[in-house]
Amino acid sequence: MDSKHMLTRRSIEGLIAAGRKIVIAEGRVLQLDSWLDKHPGGRLAVLHMVGRDATDEINVYHSSTALKLMNKYRIGRIDGKWVNFTPPIRGGIYREDTEEVESSLDESDDTSAGWSSSLDSWNSSTTSLNSIYNAEVCKPPSIHSHTTKGPQRFSSSIEALDQGAEYRSNSSIAQMVECNHLAEDSSHFVPTSAQGYILSAEQEEIDNDIRDNPSLDADTQRIITVKYQQLHQRVKDERFYDCRYFEYGKEVLRYTVLFTLFISCLRAEWYLTSAAFLGLFWHQIMFTAHDAGHRGITHNFVADTLIGIFIADFCCGLSIGWWKSSHNVHHLITNHPEHDPDIQNVPLFATSPSFFRSVHSSYYNFTYHWDAFANIAIKYQRYNYYPVMCIARFNLYLLSWLHLLSSRSTNIGSAAWTRPVEIAGMLCYWFLFGYCLLWLSIPTWTLRVAFVLVSHIITMPLHVQITLSHWAMPTADLGDAESFPQRQLRTTMDVECPAWLDFIHGGLQFQAVHHLFPRVPRHNLRRLQVLVKEFCKDTGIEYKIFGFVEGNKQVLGRLGEISKQVEILVKCQAYMAETGESGLH
């Protein structure tokens, strides 16, 4: 297929229906089938972009060298502005063409047949929830008409947009067929369906987000996108991507001091003090692993990956490959209950009412069933938050090994070497920590257990910091019309702190800035924050920032809010059991 060939929307839909991995970038149609298993960022990062204009995501996540390589996957161009399809992995439904107008190219070129189409190029292929329901059942969560703030005010009905920006969700919602009648005061409502209450809670989140953010109409989102691209060009022109290695020199000095104190106290047989310094060492050095995982140090894949493996796998016993696999998806589809693994913590925690309907994780390929235990555990989640954060590191050990021992960690191409090197690093960690340190250096089982607990509990602030920027933020999916920068800023908050405390937060206090420009080195994020604030003011997107204490209150408040919704859900289920209505599960 000629790389300059103009492809219609309908023919691209046919390609995706045939299983091709088609992504739009800067007007180019990229077919990434052969790249899927070679992509260092994982398959899912590509699959979540299928059918979408991923220009912004591709440009901010890749180096100039990687961007040039993408031309080899170009199979054509589009004419005019692209309107996003819903990726198949998110439930998009595509129509196949019956008339083939081009023969397939050789398998090694990984291109596919094209189709002609006389249908309107603006037609959407995906089925919205509204089309599943009939007029006699309750309406599902939907994006409806609003006039909202932004660079310009546009009064529009999203449902009427032929961009296909209807709200889409897990197919299990299609089975919800009963309405519930809620009074305005939820403490006095008489529910008739648990599923109806879940739909009501989800719809309320959607309505709030539409009310509080710029309009989702095409013109407004296009303005935001253009301004974001201009900001990105300024970031490059003003050399925000340049790493200040002197700052990392200071970081290494800090790590060395902490590690030296750990060894010195261990030799002096001050075991618990030694454990505390080891925990602080882990806490601090993992910030640099985060930078390396985003290729924000050298911007070279091999160099940054080796730095990440040394720190995460060898020094800390955590798989940088697992982290990159989940974290890349988290960045692309932030705070989506069905797709973002960073918020999938049922039955211990739930940050969205969507979890009440047993969502299926596209990342883990696992269904988080909502059951009686979840009803109990989530009721007390705001009280369990800090205790669980104290032992969260143990869960990361498990997730790291599960990843490395699964097929998901198997890479081909330029990243094929990473898995064996990671396994070697992890084995070295457990030999040094488990055998040389715990078994040989600490004399009693009581001290060994105490050492493990103290060293791991000390890292608790890191886990709080990681969750702080997202767990209190919205989880509603506003559809495919929402631009990349608006979604990132809508679902992320920053933490305010003085510059002299930056080393404690390790750059994670600038998560909103980081989500817009993930490869910018963290020592440049404070300066970049000024430009992001200007961008938010210009576009009308709220820039959310709280102090550390207030941010914790926001998270606890969100957890408490979900707990109250669970109490209502339990009442709803009890009502259904008493009245004998169907649908109780």
Side-chain angles (χ1 to χ4, degrees):
M1 186 179 292
D2 185 358
S3 63
K4 297 182 180 180
H5 179 66
M6 200 68 66
L7 295 174
T8 66
R9 179 176 176 82
R10 185 67 186 91
S11 64
I12 292 173
E13 181 182 4
L15 287 169
I16 299 174
R20 301 302 185 183
K21 308 303 181 282
I22 304 297
V23 176
I24 310 300
E26 296 184 331
R28 300 169 299 171
V29 181
L30 306 178
Q31 183 168 291
L32 301 178
D33 298 56
S34 64
W35 179 242
L36 198 61
D37 291 321
K38 300 176 184 177
H39 184 226
R43 293 169 50 91
L44 289 175
V46 176
L47 294 178
H48 277 291
M49 294 296 104
V50 171
R52 296 176 55 85
D53 185 340
T55 298
D56 292 332
E57 291 89 336
I58 288 174
N59 285 340
V60 297
Y61 280 100
H62 297 87
S63 66
S64 57
T65 302
L67 293 176
K68 291 177 183 177
L69 293 175
M70 292 184 187
N71 281 323
K72 66 184 290 188
Y73 300 101
R74 173 177 162 180
I75 61 171
R77 296 191 60 84
I78 59 170
D79 185 18
K81 301 179 180 67
W82 181 255
V83 181
N84 290 329
F85 288 120
T86 298
I89 193 172
R90 302 188 207 169
I93 301 172
Y94 294 81
R95 300 167 298 172
E96 294 184 2
D97 258 321
T98 56
E99 184 178 353
E100 184 174 299
V101 298
E102 284 190 75
S103 60
S104 299
L105 294 181
D106 186 82
E107 284 290 328
S108 62
D109 292 332
D110 227 4
T111 58
S112 71
W115 289 267
S116 63
S117 172
S118 60
L119 297 177
D120 184 83
S121 63
W122 292 104
N123 285 342
S124 172
S125 67
T126 46
T127 305
S128 72
L129 289 175
N130 289 332
S131 67
I132 297 175
Y133 284 74
N134 59 52
E136 296 181 357
V137 298
C138 59
K139 293 182 179 180
S142 61
I143 301 174
H144 47 78
S145 175
H146 278 273
T147 302
T148 55
K149 60 185 181 180
Q152 299 182 31
R153 289 183 177 270
F154 296 89
S155 179
S156 68
S157 170
I158 301 304
E159 186 177 351
L161 284 177
D162 48 6
Q163 280 89 337
E166 299 100 337
Y167 176 82
R168 301 169 180 91
S169 187
N170 190 297
S171 60
S172 62
I173 289 190
Q175 300 170 5
M176 302 174 186
V177 295
E178 293 192 37
C179 295
N180 66 320
H181 307 288
L182 303 178
E184 291 184 3
D185 182 357
S186 62
S187 63
H188 296 93
F189 75 90
V190 181
T192 60
S193 167
Q195 300 289 17
Y197 173 71
I198 296 172
L199 290 173
S200 175
E202 290 180 313
Q203 183 65 60
E204 182 180 2
E205 287 209 342
I206 293 171
D207 292 343
N208 290 341
D209 277 4
I210 291 178
R211 180 196 64 215
D212 296 337
N213 289 278
S215 171
L216 293 176
D217 72 84
D219 289 335
T220 299
Q221 293 301 306
R222 194 169 296 122
I223 290 172
I224 292 172
T225 296
V226 169
K227 290 182 180 295
Y228 172 68
Q229 292 170 352
Q230 292 170 347
L231 174 61
H232 188 207
Q233 186 60 49
R234 185 177 176 185
V235 167
K236 291 185 286 187
D237 292 342
E238 298 185 16
R239 307 189 64 156
F240 279 94
Y241 282 112
D242 290 357
C243 183
R244 294 186 285 162
Y245 293 108
F246 175 74
E247 297 295 336
Y248 278 107
K250 293 190 291 186
E251 298 285 346
V252 170
L253 179 61
R254 185 183 307 116
Y255 306 154
T256 302
V257 169
L258 290 172
F259 192 80
T260 301
L261 289 170
F262 149 63
I263 294 294
S264 299
C265 291
L266 182 65
R267 288 186 172 183
E269 298 184 354
W270 297 353
Y271 297 116
L272 299 189
T273 305
S274 174
F277 283 119
L278 178 59
L280 290 172
F281 170 76
W282 284 337
H283 174 275
Q284 284 289 298
I285 201 170
M286 278 304 295
F287 294 138
T288 299
H290 176 266
D291 302 341
H294 280 290
R295 297 194 309 281
I297 302 177
T298 69
H299 301 302
N300 176 275
F301 170 73
V302 174
D304 281 346
T305 299
L306 286 173
I307 293 172
I309 290 175
F310 173 75
I311 295 174
D313 297 77
F314 179 78
C315 294
C316 299
L318 305 175
S319 167
I320 192 69
W322 159 76
W323 179 85
K324 288 170 67 174
S325 173
S326 65
H327 199 68
N328 288 336
V329 175
H330 159 71
H331 267 265
L332 290 173
I333 193 69
T334 310
N335 268 21
H336 195 302
E338 295 165 18
H339 305 296
D340 183 356
D342 280 17
I343 65 168
Q344 293 172 344
N345 301 289
V346 173
L348 294 180
F349 298 107
T351 56
S352 170
S354 297
F355 288 112
F356 301 165
R357 53 181 170 80
S358 299
V359 302
H360 184 82
S361 168
S362 63
Y363 179 81
Y364 291 110
N365 192 25
F366 174 81
T367 299
Y368 286 87
H369 292 287
W370 193 270
D371 53 21
F373 179 78
N375 283 338
I376 298 172
I378 301 303
K379 184 178 179 180
Y380 300 102
Q381 63 177 347
R382 65 180 301 177
Y383 306 107
N384 297 331
Y385 176 63
Y386 293 114
V388 171
M389 291 300 107
C390 287
I391 58 175
R393 187 179 180 87
F394 295 105
N395 183 52
L396 301 188
Y397 289 143
L398 174 63
L399 292 175
S400 293
W401 278 113
L402 289 176
H403 173 78
L404 287 177
L405 298 177
S406 72
S407 59
R408 179 174 293 166
S409 65
T410 303
N411 294 309
I412 60 177
S414 62
W417 58 272
T418 58
R419 184 189 191 191
V421 174
E422 277 204 78
I423 292 175
M426 294 269 283
L427 291 175
C428 286
Y429 168 83
W430 284 107
F431 172 76
L432 293 172
F433 179 72
Y435 179 70
C436 296
L437 175 58
L438 293 180
W439 184 254
L440 296 182
S441 302
I442 300 177
T444 68
W445 276 107
T446 300
L447 283 173
R448 288 168 186 156
V449 172
F451 187 97
V452 169
L453 290 176
V454 169
S455 61
H456 286 63
I457 289 173
I458 286 290
T459 66
M460 184 265 281
L462 173 61
H463 301 289
V464 171
Q465 184 79 58
I466 291 171
T467 60
L468 196 60
S469 294
H470 298 292
W471 280 23
M473 294 296 100
T475 59
D477 179 13
L478 299 189
D480 299 305
E482 187 176 31
S483 62
F484 170 75
Q486 178 166 312
R487 181 179 183 94
Q488 299 305 317
L489 290 166
R490 179 173 63 85
T491 57
T492 311
M493 76 174 186
D494 277 352
V495 177
E496 191 170 24
C497 75
W500 64 273
L501 277 179
D502 281 353
F503 77 95
I504 292 180
H505 297 279
L508 298 185
Q509 73 273 36
F510 301 116
Q511 279 293 286
V513 183
H514 169 65
H515 268 248
L516 291 178
F517 303 103
R519 291 187 304 112
V520 169
R522 65 173 151 117
H523 301 105
N524 296 337
L525 293 177
R526 181 171 287 277
R527 290 191 299 122
L528 182 53
Q529 183 186 45
V530 176
L531 302 187
V532 170
K533 287 182 176 179
E534 292 175 359
F535 169 77
C536 290
K537 183 177 181 181
D538 190 27
T539 58
I541 304 174
E542 181 183 2
Y543 175 73
K544 304 181 186 74
I545 183 168
F546 300 95
F548 186 76
V549 173
E550 182 58 32
N552 275 262
K553 291 180 180 178
Q554 292 288 323
V555 171
L556 294 176
R558 177 62 172 173
L559 295 177
E561 177 186 350
I562 298 297
S563 296
K564 291 179 180 178
Q565 291 178 346
V566 170
E567 292 182 12
I568 296 174
L569 179 65
V570 171
K571 291 180 182 178
C572 198
Q573 291 171 327
Y575 175 86
M576 293 163 63
E578 291 174 2
T579 60
E581 292 189 17
S582 62
L584 183 60
H585 58 84

